[in-house]
């Protein structure tokens, strides 16, 4: 299976996200459209658009960007609870129809400000049991008619989504991406997801997780095509190895000056305050105990000073250095790459021109 390369579009209320300069209009339609159109021009398949209460609504942003592009594929992050499965299935089917099959969905189950939009907090087992039902029901609504489903968390009676999802080569319906590193999350991914997304862990750790998920797929009696795997990571490149490391270390020094609280740091303004308690995030933060640079060029220091999520670890180097590392992940079975660095527009152009050709041969 050939690999796909996506980016990240920063729909957020607070400017200055992940090192970008604070500017007016950072989340305007004009700015975000310029990102999406640059992604088309420079060879990216599409982009992840993140979600969370207090951010612009992800589906609305994705719809606006899809209307102003021709090949751009939005990977729309959504949360069970904020969405009901039948509502999401219908909205997604509509956008997929209007764009000629360009939609992808990323299901997010981590904690959020649930009470703000009328959801209720459950324990981890309950949260992921709900997510599993959500995935099951959305997939059925996309592929079946007159669906009746009576689960513990969701129920529908004689439900048919219109317009219908049109099966396309290699894609029966929009791919369902999913992340999470806890045992409960991995059981959901093994049974119901199309793509399991990892953050930037060392190669051996990713190999171990892929092996475990493939074994779990057999144990849980997976009924879908084999689970695919993706990597969401910061790619920090410069023309030379030496310049990349000099700039990366300078960027971390600036982070340390702004956020001297030590390992873990403070969450960035506007970030989900629950993120740092998640199993996957803790795995990334704990990598600093194994060294500031792991494998060839996986930089763990950003996590000491507030780097979170995909910004916790960076692949640093020349385009050749970073391509070599990404191809090693590909050799493990990663086929979906979601890359990014800031400033976003500059890096879309730089990495589209210098990195993607090396990855595509």
């Amino acid at each position: 299976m050939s690999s796909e390369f996506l980016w990240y579009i920063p729909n957020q209320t607070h400017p200055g996200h992940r090192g970008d300069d604070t500017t007016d209009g950072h989340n305007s339609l004009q700015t975000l459209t310029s990102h999406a159109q640059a992604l088309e021009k420079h060879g990216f398949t599409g982009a992840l658009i993140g979600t969370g209460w207090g951010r612009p609504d992800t589906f609305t942003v994705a719809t606006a960007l899809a209307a102003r592009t021709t090949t751009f594929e939005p990977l729309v992050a959504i949360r069970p609870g904020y969405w009901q499965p039948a509502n999401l299935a219908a909205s997604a089917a509509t956008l997929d129809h209007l764009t000629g099959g360009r939609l992808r969905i990323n299901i997010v189950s981590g904690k959020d400000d649930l009470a703000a939009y009328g959801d209720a907090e459950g324990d981890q087992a309950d949260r992921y049991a709900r997510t599993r039902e959500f995935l099951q029901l959305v997939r059925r609504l996309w592929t079946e008619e007159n669906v009746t489903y009576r689960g513990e968390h969701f129920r529908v009676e004689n439900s048919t989504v219109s317009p219908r999802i049109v099966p396309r080569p290699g894609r029966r319906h929009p791919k369902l991406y999913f992340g999470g590193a806890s045992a409960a999350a991995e059981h959901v991914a093994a049974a119901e997801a199309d793509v399991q997304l990892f953050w930037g862990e060392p190669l051996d750790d990713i190999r171990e997780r892929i092996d475990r998920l493939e074994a779990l797929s057999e144990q849980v009696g997976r009924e879908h095509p084999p689970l695919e795997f993706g990597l969401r990571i910061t790619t920090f490149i410069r023309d030379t190895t030496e310049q990349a490391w000099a700039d990366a270390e300078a960027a971390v020094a600036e982070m340390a000056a702004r956020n001297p609280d030590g390992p873990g740091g403070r969450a960035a303004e506007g970030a989900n305050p629950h993120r740092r308690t998640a199993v996957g995030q803790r795995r990334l933060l704990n990598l600093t105990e194994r060294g500031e640079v792991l494998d060839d060029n996986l930089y763990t220091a950003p996590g000491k000073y507030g780097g979170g999520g995909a910004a916790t670890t960076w692949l640093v180097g020349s385009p050749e250095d970073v391509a070599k590392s990404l191809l090693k992940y590909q050799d493990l079975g990663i086929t979906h790459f979601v890359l990014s660095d800031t400033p976003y527009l500059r890096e879309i152009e730089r990495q589209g021109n210098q990195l993607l050709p090396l990855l595509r041969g």
Side-chain angles (χ1 to χ4, degrees):
M1 180 181 295
S2 62
S3 292
E4 298 179 325
F5 300 95
L6 292 86
W7 194 252
Y8 175 77
I9 284 185
N11 65 312
Q12 78 289 320
T13 302
H14 300 280
H17 183 64
R18 281 191 45 215
D20 261 340
D21 292 335
T22 300
T23 58
D24 291 335
H26 70 281
N27 65 348
S28 68
L29 181 57
Q30 180 179 358
T31 297
L32 298 182
T33 297
S34 72
H35 290 195
Q37 291 175 343
L39 289 166
E40 287 188 325
K41 178 180 178 181
H42 293 283
F44 289 90
T45 300
L48 170 65
I49 305 175
T51 188
W53 187 251
R55 298 175 67 164
D57 177 72
T58 309
F59 216 94
T60 304
V61 172
T63 301
L65 297 184
R68 287 162 174 78
T69 52
T70 55
T71 64
F72 170 79
E73 298 188 17
L75 173 54
V76 182
I78 66 95
R79 291 178 179 274
Y82 180 91
W83 287 90
Q84 291 293 306
N87 301 125
L88 184 277
S91 294
T94 301
L95 185 54
D96 196 63
H97 165 73
L98 292 173
T99 61
R102 288 194 272 145
L103 182 64
R104 301 158 186 245
I105 298 292
N106 180 35
I107 305 294
V108 181
S109 290
K111 292 183 178 181
D112 194 19
D113 188 2
L114 306 183
Y117 50 86
D119 197 13
E121 183 66 82
D123 61 22
Q124 185 188 69
D126 183 72
R127 192 166 72 247
Y128 283 105
R130 181 173 76 165
T131 298
R132 182 169 185 172
E133 286 192 10
F134 191 97
L135 286 160
Q136 289 173 340
L137 182 49
V138 166
R139 193 190 300 270
R140 286 191 60 186
L141 289 165
W142 282 344
T143 58
E144 303 175 22
E145 298 183 14
N146 303 316
V147 175
T148 293
Y149 183 99
R150 299 186 180 93
E152 183 177 344
H153 300 274
F154 302 111
R155 296 188 175 196
V156 299
E157 299 285 338
N158 195 34
S159 181
T160 299
V161 166
S162 183
R164 304 298 297 152
I165 292 285
V166 176
R168 300 173 189 277
R171 197 207 74 154
R172 189 181 180 194
H173 53 69
K175 284 190 181 291
L176 291 164
Y177 291 65
F178 181 71
S182 68
E186 289 189 340
H187 275 78
V188 172
E192 304 297 341
D194 293 319
V195 181
Q196 165 75 41
L197 276 178
F198 303 122
W199 276 331
E201 297 187 40
L203 290 160
D204 285 346
D205 294 26
I206 296 293
R207 179 185 295 109
E208 177 186 342
R209 293 191 64 192
I210 288 175
D211 289 346
R212 183 166 61 250
L213 282 159
E214 289 178 339
L216 274 173
S217 294
E218 294 185 11
Q219 293 173 22
V220 300
R222 181 179 174 87
E223 299 176 351
H224 312 301
L227 183 63
E228 300 170 27
F229 302 103
L231 182 70
R232 170 76 185 99
I233 192 167
T234 292
T235 39
F236 191 104
I237 72 169
R238 297 294 186 267
D239 291 343
T240 67
T241 303
E242 294 74 19
Q243 189 61 54
W245 280 106
D247 287 359
E249 290 169 357
V252 169
E254 289 182 12
M255 293 169 64
R258 292 194 306 267
N259 189 19
D261 292 354
R266 296 189 306 267
E269 184 181 15
N272 183 342
H274 303 291
R275 169 180 279 174
R276 291 184 174 274
T277 64
V279 172
Q281 181 65 79
R282 295 309 311 173
R283 286 174 64 99
L284 293 185
L285 294 173
N286 291 340
L287 291 176
T288 58
E289 299 172 5
R290 292 156 58 178
E292 283 204 349
V293 181
L294 303 177
D295 294 337
D296 296 323
N297 55 341
L298 185 67
Y299 194 30
T300 68
K304 290 183 179 181
Y305 303 109
T312 313
T313 57
W314 306 349
L315 285 176
V316 177
S318 67
E320 293 78 11
D321 296 334
V322 173
K324 181 180 177 182
S325 295
L326 291 172
L327 290 171
K328 289 181 179 180
Y329 286 103
Q330 186 181 63
D331 289 342
L332 296 181
I334 302 291
T335 55
H336 301 258
F337 292 88
V338 184
L339 313 177
S340 68
D341 192 24
T342 59
Y344 291 101
L345 188 57
R346 183 194 72 189
E347 291 304 320
I348 289 169
E349 296 170 355
R350 186 207 304 266
Q351 300 197 26
N353 292 338
Q354 298 183 23
L355 180 63
L356 290 194
L358 300 175
L359 297 171
R360 293 195 167 117

